[in-house]
Amino acid sequence: MSVADVKKNTEQKMGKSIETLKANLAKVRTGRAHTGLLDQVMVDYYGSPTGLSQVANLTLIDARTIGVQPYEKKMVAAVEKAIREADLGLNPATHGELIRVPMPPLTEERRKEMVKLVKSEAEDAKIAVRNIRREGNEGLKKLVKDKVASEDDERRGQDEIQKLTDKFVAEIDKLVGDKEKEVMTV
């Protein structure tokens, strides 16, 4: 284990925190339709819970409507029921074999709640990044204690880890700013 290993490990973990934040932000509903909203919907497919994308084709009909086309005609009712019961506040309507899922418009109050949720996700990501920074710095201290690295190496390593931390925190702020704008856009 060297200073470079500690730094690389720290950077990888911080990168994973950013990916997790991106995934969590994608779940936050804006006024626009996107098929990712239905990713968590599970359909009872012949007795076993199956992801919606595996039993139906998801498309955007327009900016506020998702189209869900089950691969099998028999699955239309089960898919509609799964979307309705997924607790997403969506009200699907069936037209023949196509299920239309209109996005209800967000109220101002609901938008503000979404922004709070986004900020909370961001704070969690920042805490994770700072915890990873602390782990990295502890790893450097251990290298000095084990006489693998000098105190100068430790100081340089800590500076580099701090720069990484600043970079990832700035990226979190940018992601959150973009999502806030998206949520508040009517």
Side-chain angles (χ1 to χ4, degrees):
M1 190 73 156
S2 69
V3 173
D5 293 337
V6 170
K7 187 182 149 208
K8 184 177 165 201
N9 195 2
T10 301
E11 188 170 11
Q12 286 174 340
K13 285 181 178 176
M14 287 181 180
K16 285 181 183 151
S17 293
I18 295 288
E19 292 308 311
T20 302
L21 174 66
K22 284 179 182 173
N24 290 345
L25 290 180
K27 293 175 194 165
V28 175
R29 193 164 75 81
T30 62
R32 281 196 211 84
H34 67 92
T35 56
L37 287 171
L38 300 177
D39 283 349
Q40 280 73 36
V41 176
M42 298 305 265
V43 179
D44 181 24
Y45 186 69
Y46 298 109
S48 65
T50 309
L52 180 61
S53 60
Q54 294 175 343
V55 296
N57 184 25
L58 305 176
T59 56
L60 288 180
I61 295 173
D62 58 46
R64 295 180 99 49
T65 313
I66 300 173
V68 180
Q69 177 96 45
Y71 297 130
E72 299 175 33
K73 288 180 187 177
K74 294 181 286 203
M75 293 303 296
V76 173
V79 168
E80 184 179 358
K81 181 177 180 230
I83 295 170
R84 197 177 304 279
E85 292 176 354
D87 200 27
L88 294 170
L90 300 174
N91 194 12
T94 303
H95 299 285
E97 292 175 32
L98 178 71
I99 301 168
R100 296 172 64 91
V101 186
M103 292 293 114
L106 292 175
T107 62
E108 186 67 22
E109 189 179 315
R110 187 75 179 121
R111 288 178 194 280
K112 287 181 178 158
E113 283 176 32
M114 294 296 189
V115 168
K116 277 185 193 163
L117 180 67
V118 165
K119 287 183 175 172
S120 156
E121 290 287 351
E123 197 47 47
D124 291 348
K126 286 180 182 177
I127 289 168
V129 165
R130 290 184 195 121
N131 286 340
I132 294 165
R133 173 186 62 192
R134 191 188 65 239
E135 287 172 18
N137 288 339
E138 285 170 2
L140 292 172
K141 281 187 178 76
K142 187 175 180 330
L143 290 177
V144 171
K145 190 176 151 210
D146 296 345
K147 308 243 185 293
V148 176
S150 69
E151 287 184 13
D152 287 345
D153 291 338
E154 177 192 8
R155 216 167 304 125
R156 271 192 298 275
Q158 285 179 343
D159 288 347
E160 288 172 11
I161 286 175
Q162 184 58 48
K163 283 179 189 153
L164 283 175
T165 304
D166 295 342
K167 179 182 112 180
F168 281 104
V169 166
E171 190 174 342
I172 290 168
D173 288 338
K174 182 188 178 312
L175 287 169
V176 168
D178 293 349
K179 190 66 176 186
E180 252 180 78
K181 274 190 214 116
E182 192 182 327
V183 168
M184 293 311 285
T185 302
V186 180

